[in-house]
Amino acid sequence: LQYSDASGDGCAPVSWDALVPGVLELLTDAGPGGIGLANLKHVFCTRFGKQISETALGYAKLSELLGDSRLRDLCEIRLQDSGYVVV
């Protein structure tokens, strides 16, 4: 049985224990250009089969989730010409 959510991507919700190392791995692989904020959830689900749900983790916005003490030392959000990126 595969998890199904409203977005239809089939990814089960991620826990904090999997989110932190997953974000670190994605950003390490992405290099200095980072990952577009709008693409982070999709890339995470594709790579790890887990959905980043900021509301399930206690936040209203993805940007607020990334500012949590467990993640803020690993990444930051920057505005670039192409939009917001996570680096």
Side-chain angles (χ1 to χ4, degrees), residues 23-83:
V23 168
L24 180 59
E25 184 176 323
L26 288 178
L27 292 176
T28 300
D29 291 350
I35 299 172
L37 181 62
N39 295 326
L40 182 62
K41 287 182 171 186
H42 174 73
V43 171
F44 197 95
C45 181
T46 301
R47 177 91 167 255
F48 303 110
K50 299 287 183 183
Q51 174 194 28
I52 297 175
S53 173
E54 59 274 16
T55 53
L57 294 169
Y59 289 92
K61 297 179 180 179
L62 181 57
S63 57
E64 293 172 354
L65 172 75
L66 295 173
D68 182 275
S69 62
R70 290 164 274 203
L71 289 170
R72 70 173 158 232
D73 291 338
L74 302 178
C75 64
E76 65 180 88
I77 299 171
R78 293 184 185 161
L79 179 57
Q80 297 183 350
D81 292 339
S82 60

